[in-house]
Amino acid sequence: MAVPDQTIPTHPAVEIQGVTLNYFTPDRETLALANVSLTVEQGEFVAIVGSSGCGKSTLLSLVSGLLPPSRGSIRIDGKEVAKPSPRVGYMFQKDTLLEWRTIIDNVLIGAELLGIDKIVARRRAEDLLVRYGLGDFLHSLPGQLSGGMRQRAALARTLCCEPDLLLLDEPFSALDYQTRLALSDEVAGILSAERKTVILVTHDIGEAISMANRVIVMSRRPGRIKSERKTDFPSFGPTRPTPFQARKCSEFANYFQTIWDELDIHQIH
Amino acid sequence: MMTSTKAALSHFVRFAPRSGSAPASAPSAAYAAYLRSLKRRALSIQLWQIGLVAALLVVWEVAPRAGWINPMLTSYPSAIARTFTRMLQDGSLTTHTLVTLSETVVGFVGGMLLGTFCAVVLWWSSYVYRVLDPFIVVLNAIPKIALVPIFYIWLGDIASIYAMAIAISVFVTILMLYTGFQAVDEDKIKLVRLFGASRLKVLTKVVLPGSVPTMIAALKVNVGLALVGVVVGEFQAAKAGLGYLITYGSQIFQMNLVMTAIVVLAVISSLLFIGIQALESTVLRRHGGVGGGN
Amino acid sequence: MNAKALGLPGRILGVARLSDGAKGATTQRKIARKLPVQKIWSTTALVALQLAVLVGFVVLWEVAAEFKIIDPFFWSQPSSIWSTLVIFLTQGDAFTDIAFTFRSTIFGFIIGTTGGAVLGMSFWWSRNYAQIVQPYIICLESIPKLALAPLIVLVFGMGLSSKVATATALTVVVSTLTAYAGVQAVDRDQERLFYSLGASRWQVFKKLVVPSCIPWIVSILRVNIGLALTGSIVGEFVSSQHGLGRTILYAGSTYEISLVWVAVLILSALSMVMYVTVAWLEKVLRKGVVH
């Protein structure tokens, strides 16, 4: 009997189950994350918002394999995470470009470390940089570029190794507001075109709502998941609006208000 | 079992060990385990440090006796200890130490005062600075220590040592202080000037107080340099002092004398350094600033 | 007010602007009078003055010695210094001495700087090892290493190696501490980036730690060359057959003051040349590692 192809289940991209993290320093122990569970499907764009210190960046470190959880498990594509993998791309708040290398050499750092074929990698790197508007700056040093351009180069570096999962840790917070708006449009476009699975961590609610399919709110330390909601914009039409267009949709203000109320930033203590 | 990467990551992040089926009260137990492991690590580091010193002393004592190295060149820890106690008891060690110490103190104090005065003059008149700048650069590039023989001829055995210590300290002080004066926050100077301050007032109320951290840094450097200048001066000229002991001892192949003097020198040097560190923390705490007048 | 200010020779900085917003004529004048007036002289005027100072100094010295105002035996005079210089260069051991001092300095500089850099960077590998060794390095730093010169000469002999050893002793500790400071300053986020890409420790060391530490080491080169030279000279003072330091000592002991000055002058020239070369080297290296 013929079995339809679709019955072979694909694993969700990321499965976080009951994860707890205890953080130790000589002075005190801190419970950073308490029993966090989250599932991210393939191709989904998920944003996590929360006040400072709620553990959202720590959660990304756990997913990337840089830290092990104290309890619970994290699986990527059904496999337990043991250590960092090139299939997972990580973008930091600072561009962390190496100051002594040219832009193209910076983009190729991942390929160098992983031993990927140099010619293939170089072609891909050049292609990415040209697409992001940095074609004239292949051989410049990071110090010669603006903040926005450096973040774009960092994005190229992250995508050069063709990761399946992208973890973005407040990648735009170090930029000025206008650059941030422009860049989030570009990045959202690139990532959806390539159908990447993305987990974005940010404290900018507007950014989260406009860029992501689903927004997750985390409570303050110890971090727990407070709520999840899909952020669709049916008033725009059948397709999803770009982040900039999304801000003008009527649903935007509602989402913003609800999430704002949920975040306990404004509670003085 | 931690992979090497995780071991490396413990450099910058500390994390709890995996506890599979531990009960809810485990956090405290795990944390206690973490604290214990920290203590163990600190202890093992200290043991290693002591162990290395002990091993060195043992090898130093045994090797000449076993004929591996020439005892004329290295002496033994036991002989050095004996010489040390003997010299301490008959007072000769104290005499020599005080000689060197007093020369050093006079040297760096004199050097700092003179250097501060010159730095103020250079700051006061940028014209004078621009005229004298190349001369200062050239004089600074000369290794002052090369002038020891000539100082000896001009000033005799005692004064030449003081002169050398002062000479070495002066130049470093001038450079460091002048740079420090220039680095005082321009806005603070503007503020005081807008209240009608004269140049002297600017100096006494803003520039000098704002340069206290620089002066302490210069003091730290000067103490070391003055001590070196004194010791090398004593090589050449003296009939007393730790430098004299080192030269004399090595000339008559009494390495125990040399080593004793070196040990005492190291101790004085460390004590002076610690003293200045303590001075630094008290002064900076009252002063409230780090680096050129922040 | 402004006219008066502008009437002074040269350009005045800062005065004109203040008088724009100032309250009254009297206040303006008061403030203007107390502000320093920086006249900018042309470079030629400055250089001329500097040359005049130098020439004046030499002439004064010569005259004072000629007229026995100062004792020419003790202080020597420019004319005899000049003739001694000529003799030293043409007939004397000038070049042997210069070469000797130069060689020991350069060797000590290179060995000390590279050795110290490697040692300092090695502290990155293991925090434990770094913490164990650190107090020793600090201890070694506080010992005046020049005091060890007689000991070093005793162990290494009179030749070049003892001077190289002294020079190395001075430079290696400074280089180690500087390289270690560079290691501690490595950007944590860049380290995380490397590990997140799955890099091995050796890769992180080669591609991140070493390039990060290079600017630190470059910044210390100028200090090191001075230290190396000092080490060589003191080594020669203790015991040597050649070298400029040895010449100074020898000439001093035989009261040939002119020769002492000649040797000091040549030493100063050598020192300046090395210093300038290292400063140039530093600039070149900085361009390749822009921060």
Side-chain angles (χ1 to χ4, degrees), chain C residues 97-117:
Chain C
D97 286 339
I98 297 175
F100 187 85
T101 306
F102 180 72
R103 271 191 357 245
S104 59
T105 306
I106 291 290
F107 286 162
F109 172 69
I110 294 178
I111 298 176
T113 309
T114 41

Side-chain angles (χ1 to χ4, degrees), chain C residues 194-241:
Chain C
F194 273 74
Y195 284 127
S196 75
L197 288 168
S200 71
R201 297 207 71 198
W202 173 246
Q203 283 176 316
V204 176
F205 182 73
K206 196 166 74 144
K207 293 188 188 285
L208 176 65
V209 176
V210 172
S212 295
C213 287
I214 289 184
W216 289 80
I217 312 238
V218 167
S219 71
I220 211 82
L221 286 181
R222 270 190 278 176
V223 170
N224 271 354
I225 193 76
L227 287 176
L229 184 60
T230 308
S232 293
I233 297 292
V234 173
E236 288 174 16
F237 277 175
V238 172
S239 174
S240 183
Q241 279 179 318

Side-chain angles (χ1 to χ4, degrees), chain B residues 41 49 130-131 141 255 269, chain C residues 50 128 135-136 142 151 249 271:
Chain B
R41 183 166 163 269
Q49 288 171 333
R130 296 193 69 201
V131 170
M255 295 313 293
S269 189
Chain C
Q50 287 164 338
N128 290 338
Y136 294 130
S142 65
L151 186 59
L249 196 67
S271 169

Side-chain angles (χ1 to χ4, degrees), chain B residues 131-170:
Chain B
V131 170
L132 291 183
D133 183 33
F135 296 111
I136 296 178
V137 170
V138 170
L139 284 175
N140 196 48
I142 305 176
K144 259 75 65 204
I145 212 113
L147 301 174
V148 160
I150 212 169
F151 276 20
Y152 178 55
I153 293 177
W154 286 345
L155 304 169
D157 51 8
I158 304 181
S160 66
I161 300 179
Y162 288 107
M164 174 75 357
I166 296 181
I168 293 188
S169 322
V170 162

Side-chain angles (χ1 to χ4, degrees), chain B residues 1 5 13 15 20 29 57 90 101 122 124 126 135 139 141 161 164 202 221-222 271 290:
Chain B
M1 193 174 73
T5 319
V13 100
F15 50 88
L57 287 175
D90 66 25
L101 203 53
L122 288 176
W124 188 281
S126 70
F135 296 111
L139 284 175
I161 300 179
M164 174 75 357
V202 171
V221 174
N222 274 345
L271 286 178
V290 184

Side-chain angles (χ1 to χ4, degrees), chain A residues 61 64 66 84-86 88 90 92 94-101 109-110 112-114 141 157 161 169, chain C residues 187-190 192-200 203-204 207-212 287-291:
Chain A
S61 297
S64 72
L66 285 172
S85 147
V88 176
Y90 201 131
F92 300 82
K94 295 194 309 195
D95 52 71
T96 56
L97 293 174
L98 304 176
E99 302 91 357
W100 54 89
R101 286 177 166 235
I109 186 85
E112 249 182 67
L113 292 171
L114 299 166
L141 292 172
R157 174 189 63 203
C161 302
D169 191 349
Chain C
D187 193 325
R188 293 277 179 252
D189 278 337
Q190 285 173 345
R192 261 200 300 163
L193 168 70
F194 273 74
Y195 284 127
S196 75
L197 288 168
S200 71
Q203 283 176 316
V204 176
K207 293 188 188 285
L208 176 65
V209 176
V210 172
S212 295
K287 259 196 275 162
V289 191
V290 169
H291 260 245

Side-chain angles (χ1 to χ4, degrees), chain B residues 8 11 41 45 49 52-53 127 130-131 134 141-142 145-146 153-154 193 196 228 235-236 255 262 265 269-270, chain C residues 34-35 49-50 74 124 128 131-132 135-136 142 146-148 150-151 154 195 201 237 249 252 261 267-268 271:
Chain B
H11 264 234
R41 183 166 163 269
I45 289 182
Q49 288 171 333
L52 281 178
V53 173
Y127 176 57
R130 296 193 69 201
V131 170
I142 305 176
I145 212 113
I153 293 177
W154 286 345
R193 279 210 201 124
V228 166
F235 282 175
Q236 162 86 32
M255 295 313 293
I262 291 181
L265 208 51
S269 189
S270 315
Chain C
K34 284 181 179 172
L35 279 174
L49 191 60
Q50 287 164 338
F74 239 24
W124 176 84
N128 290 338
Q131 282 193 306
I132 292 176
Y136 294 130
S142 65
L146 283 177
L148 303 173
L151 186 59
L154 218 54
Y195 284 127
R201 297 207 71 198
F237 277 175
L249 196 67
W261 280 121
L267 183 60
S268 315
S271 169

Side-chain angles (χ1 to χ4, degrees), chain A residues 174-185:
Chain A
L175 304 170
D176 63 87
Y177 192 63
Q178 292 150 333
T179 314
R180 212 186 305 176
L181 287 178
L183 209 55
S184 48
D185 254 29

